[in-house]
């Protein structure tokens, strides 16, 4: 490291500033300036003409002191017995004023540029290194006014990019190459066995096939009225999200190997409606969610189950376990914890320790998982930070993909591990505690509070036969926590959101367990 000291008496009356990470084994142009202010902030250090951020380690120089001294000036040594090692000096300059950053920028290169120009007046004879020093580092960097204007524009553009990306990392965009991309057809996939040269084009078997030499032409072709494939695929995926299964069950394969639509006319009508609405996704979602088909009861008779077990004929409303992200967001919404903030960088909610460390390289910048705090814990799952090879475990347990490969259709499994997550994961248990607080504040007796929980979690009132076992559960929990009040207090510490201090810990712990029990019903996590 480099240090600049101005010392009258160390350390009570001195200035010291430092710069770290100075490379060794190469020639460097080093310089510093001091403005005479008596403050460490007045010392600037420059390496190869560039100002470096300094670390102030002493700033106690007293007013009225002077740096004049009757002692001789020693270069490269503190005393005859204390010389600097591994150091060679080529040039030393002392100025009776503080040089500007622009002057420091020229110093490392202007003498070299002058020597190169005097020795080789013909620029065509310069070597690559001489061109770099004389043109890039000196003339263009410090002298040429046009280059200075361009640097100012770059600085302004960088500032604008930083401003636009203040809420998150800026996204890189692609630009078309000046010449069209081509590829060789390889004989049996052998790289060295080239056949004919091919250019970008749309497949001949699709409607209105033609040359699409760039992304714009491809996008225009996708949206042509003669090409219904894009609209069909899109509305089918929306249908899959709403009803659980697409009209074409193989939503990732519309080819001859995929399944036929269960209702071809309905698929085509939705595709045309999507196109004629101006490709309005919200319109299609509203259309499906307000339809009589979607609003049917999902109760099924034995006859209907035998005739249509997968509900392909839509004889009843959709019924399937919610996706991982929807399940977590539903718990946050029901508890009142869900943050309504839109946009911004990714967040890191609750996650078990050690997962990232197990799969990360030692030099990785995501080696350690640092959990967020405050509202960031309760952002929608859309904003959860997703690390490749280590997706959020609570979401992965409910079949969220690792995103290593494209996935159009998720599997829906039913495993004991899912119940362990929904019962014990801090995110879900904390949600149950906050729902219990709302139930207690709602007032009323036990049956009324149970009805309150049911309306929030099940969207329906409880039947009298359902109230009895839940009341018995509440009595069991209340008896246990009355006998072990410390367990009740410990239970209420799960999650970052503080428990309501105005409520009795035993009562709140008992209702938390009942809310957790209701939340883990199959009916709650099933759409």
């Amino acid at each position: 490291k480099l240090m600049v000291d101005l010392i009258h008496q160390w350390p009570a009356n001195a200035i010291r500033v430092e710069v770290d990470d100075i490379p060794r084994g190469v020639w460097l142009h080093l310089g510093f300036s001091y403005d005479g202010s008596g403050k460490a902030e007045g010392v600037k250090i420059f390496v190869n003409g560039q100002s470096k951020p300094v670390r102030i380690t002493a700033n106690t120089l007293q007013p009225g002191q002077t740096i004049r001294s009757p002692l001789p000036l020693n270069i490269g040594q503190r005393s005859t017995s204390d010389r600097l090692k591994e150091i060679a000096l080529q040039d030393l300059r002392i100025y009776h004023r503080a040089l500007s950053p622009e002057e420091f920028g020229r110093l490392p290169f202007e003498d070299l540029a002058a020597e190169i120009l005097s020795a080789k007046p013909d620029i065509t004879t310069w070597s690559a290194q001489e061109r770099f020093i004389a043109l890039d580092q000196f003339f263009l960097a410090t002298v040429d006014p046009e280059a200075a204007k361009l640097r100012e524009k770059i600085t302004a553009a960088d500032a604008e990019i930083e401003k636009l990306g203040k809420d998150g990392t800026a996204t890189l965009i692609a630009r078309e190459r000046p010449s069209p991309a081509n590829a060789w057809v390889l004989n049996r996939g052998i790289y060295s066995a080239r056949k004919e040269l091919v250019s970008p084009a749309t497949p001949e078997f699709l409607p209105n096939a033609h040359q699409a030499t760039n992304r714009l032409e491809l996008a225009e072709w996708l949206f042509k009225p003669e090409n219904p494939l894009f609209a069909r695929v899109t509305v089918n995926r929306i249908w899959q999200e709403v009803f659980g299964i697409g009209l074409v069950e193989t939503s990732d394969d519309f080819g001859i190997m995929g399944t036929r639509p269960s209702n071809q006319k309905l698929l085509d009508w939705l595709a045309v409606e999507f196109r004629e609405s101006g490709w309005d996704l919200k319109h299609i979602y509203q259309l499906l969610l307000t339809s009589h088909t979607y609003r049917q009861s999902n109760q099924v008779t034995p006859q209907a189950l035998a005739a249509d077990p997968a509900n392909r004929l839509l004889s009843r409303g959709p019924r399937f376990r919610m996706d991982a992200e929807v399940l977590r967001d539903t718990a946050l919404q029901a508890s009142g914890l869900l943050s309504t903030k839109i946009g911004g960088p990714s967040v890191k909610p609750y996650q078990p320790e050690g997962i990232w460390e197990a799969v990360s390289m030692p030099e990785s910048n995501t080696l350690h998982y640092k959990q967020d705090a405050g509202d960031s814990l309760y952002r929608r799952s859309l904003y959860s930070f997703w690390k490749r090879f280590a997706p959020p475990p609570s979401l992965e347990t409910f079949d969220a993909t690792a995103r290593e490969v494209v996935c159009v259709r998720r599997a829906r499994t039913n495993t004991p591990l899912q119940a362990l997550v929904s019962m014990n994961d801090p995110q879900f248990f904390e949600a149950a505690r906050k729902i219990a607080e709302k139930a207690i504040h709602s007032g009323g007796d036990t049956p009324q509070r149970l009805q309150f929980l049911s309306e929030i979690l099940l969207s329906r009132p409880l039947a009298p036969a359902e109230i009895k076992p839940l009341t018995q559960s509440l009595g069991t929990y209340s008896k246990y926590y009355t006998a072990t009040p410390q367990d009740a207090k410990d239970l209420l510490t799960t999650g970052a959101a503080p428990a309501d201090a105005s409520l009795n810990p035993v009562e709140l712990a008992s209702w938390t367990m009942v809310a957790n029990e209701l939340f883990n019903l199959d009916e709650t996590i099933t759409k």
Side-chain angles (χ1 to χ4, degrees):
K1 63 183 177 182
L2 292 177
M3 293 190 304
V4 174
D5 293 344
L6 297 176
I7 300 173
H8 185 76
Q9 182 183 12
W10 181 262
N13 192 356
I15 285 175
R16 171 172 288 176
V17 299
E18 302 178 4
V19 171
D20 295 322
D21 300 325
I22 301 301
R24 300 176 64 175
V26 295
W27 280 100
L28 298 174
H29 185 281
L30 307 177
F32 78 92
S33 65
Y34 171 58
D35 62 3
S37 63
K39 301 294 182 182
E41 292 79 6
V43 179
K44 308 296 181 184
I45 298 180
F46 296 82
V47 178
N48 289 335
Q50 300 297 317
S51 178
K52 296 294 182 180
V54 300
R55 183 176 67 256
I56 298 175
T57 55
N59 197 7
T60 58
L61 194 63
Q62 302 299 317
Q65 303 294 339
T66 177
I67 62 172
R68 296 185 181 277
S69 171
L71 299 176
L73 176 64
N74 294 321
I75 305 299
Q77 64 183 51
R78 186 182 292 269
S79 64
T80 55
S81 60
D82 187 15
R83 297 177 180 272
L84 289 177
K85 300 177 181 179
E86 304 179 36
I87 293 292
L89 299 177
Q90 184 185 49
D91 188 21
L92 174 68
R93 299 185 186 186
I94 300 176
Y95 295 82
H96 290 277
R97 59 182 178 84
L99 270 62
S100 67
E102 292 77 15
E103 290 175 307
F104 267 111
R106 292 196 301 269
L107 280 177
F109 310 106
E110 59 184 357
D111 286 349
L112 285 174
E115 292 176 6
I116 293 169
L117 188 60
S118 61
K120 297 182 179 180
D122 185 1
I123 192 173
T124 60
T125 63
W126 290 0
S127 66
Q129 184 178 9
E130 290 169 338
R131 286 175 178 271
F132 175 74
I133 293 173
L135 290 178
D136 293 354
Q137 296 295 315
F138 176 66
F139 180 74
L140 293 178
T142 62
V143 178
D144 183 49
E146 289 298 322
K149 292 179 181 179
L150 291 175
R151 284 196 302 274
E152 291 178 359
K153 290 182 179 180
I154 292 173
T155 302
D158 289 340
E160 184 67 19
I161 292 173
E162 183 177 355
K163 181 180 178 181
L164 292 173
K166 64 180 180 179
D167 293 328
T169 304
T171 300
L172 300 178
I173 60 173
R175 184 174 60 184
E176 293 292 344
R177 297 173 60 183
S179 57
N182 296 307
W184 292 93
V185 176
L186 304 178
N187 186 17
R188 301 180 64 84
I190 302 174
Y191 289 102
S192 58
R194 293 180 175 181
K195 298 174 73 175
E196 67 269 20
L197 183 67
V198 294
S199 300
T202 53
E204 294 181 358
F205 58 83
L206 293 178
N208 194 32
H210 72 295
Q211 292 294 111
T213 59
N214 54 45
R215 293 179 179 87
L216 177 59
E217 291 182 4
L218 178 61
E220 291 173 343
W221 172 79
L222 283 174
F223 287 88
K224 281 184 177 294
E226 298 84 0
N227 175 28
L229 188 61
F230 174 80
R232 282 174 174 165
V233 170
T234 304
V235 297
N236 188 68
R237 291 189 182 181
I238 296 174
W239 187 279
Q240 174 182 269
E241 185 177 357
V242 172
F243 287 93
I245 302 177
L247 291 169
V248 177
E249 185 174 358
T250 54
S251 53
D252 54 344
D253 188 354
F254 267 58
I256 60 173
M257 300 299 292
T259 59
R260 300 292 299 171
S262 60
N263 192 326
Q264 179 71 59
K265 291 183 178 180
L266 177 58
L267 178 65
D268 290 345
W269 184 86
L270 286 171
V272 173
E273 181 71 17
F274 182 40
R275 185 189 69 196
E276 298 301 321
S277 68
W279 312 104
D280 190 342
L281 288 170
K282 184 179 290 187
H283 169 70
I284 299 300
Y285 275 105
Q286 290 176 338
L287 187 67
L288 298 184
L289 295 174
T290 57
S291 66
H292 173 74
T293 304
Y294 178 77
R295 291 184 294 165
Q296 293 180 104
S297 169
N298 58 18
Q299 294 183 354
V300 58
T301 63
Q303 296 80 6
L305 184 61
D308 186 20
N311 198 28
R312 304 295 287 134
L313 303 179
L314 305 172
S315 60
R316 55 192 179 273
R319 182 179 181 181
F320 54 91
R321 198 210 68 219
M322 290 184 284
D323 288 334
E325 296 88 344
V326 179
L327 189 60
R328 176 179 174 273
D329 292 355
T330 299
L332 292 175
Q333 175 66 31
S335 65
L337 291 171
L338 185 67
S339 171
T340 58
K341 179 182 176 182
I342 297 175
S346 299
V347 295
K348 298 182 179 68
Y350 299 110
Q351 177 169 300
E353 296 180 357
I355 292 179
W356 281 15
E357 290 81 354
V359 299
S360 298
M361 300 296 289
E363 65 273 11
S364 172
N365 61 354
T366 56
L367 174 61
H368 302 289
Y369 187 87
K370 184 178 180 181
Q371 179 180 298
D372 280 326
D375 283 350
S376 295
L377 281 174
Y378 312 111
R379 300 291 305 278
R380 288 188 296 157
S381 301
L382 169 71
Y383 298 106
S384 293
F385 188 96
W386 211 280
K387 178 180 172 66
R388 192 173 56 154
F389 303 128
S394 62
L395 301 184
E396 188 180 27
T397 303
F398 286 95
D399 304 314
T401 63
R403 300 188 183 179
E404 297 171 36
V405 295
V406 174
C407 176
V408 177
R409 286 191 300 162
R410 287 186 183 179
R412 284 195 175 92
T413 61
N414 188 358
T415 68
L417 185 58
Q418 293 171 352
L420 290 174
V421 170
S422 56
M423 291 177 67
N424 301 293
D425 185 276
Q427 194 82 85
F428 292 102
F429 197 84
E430 181 182 38
R433 175 165 58 81
K434 301 307 288 188
I435 294 172
E437 291 179 4
K438 294 168 68 174
I440 296 174
H441 284 300
S442 69
D445 55 13
T446 296
Q448 290 174 321
R449 291 180 180 180
L450 290 174
Q451 291 289 6
F452 178 86
L453 290 175
S454 179
E455 290 174 3
I456 290 179
L457 296 173
L458 305 180
S459 300
R460 66 168 179 84
L462 291 171
E466 296 171 314
I467 293 178
K468 183 178 179 180
L470 289 172
T471 304
Q472 291 174 345
S473 291
L474 178 65
T476 301
Y477 295 132
S478 180
K479 181 179 179 180
Y480 172 79
Y481 288 120
T482 300
T484 56
Q486 187 58 44
D487 286 354
K489 294 179 180 178
D490 293 342
L491 179 142
L492 301 180
T493 60
T494 301
D500 190 337
S502 66
L503 299 179
N504 184 305
V506 171
E507 181 184 27
L508 179 54
S510 302
W511 278 100
T512 296
M513 295 302 296
V514 173
N516 191 39
E517 190 175 319
L518 271 171
F519 186 81
N520 281 274
L521 291 177
D522 182 69
E523 185 178 347
T524 305
I525 65 175
T526 299
K527 182 175 179 180

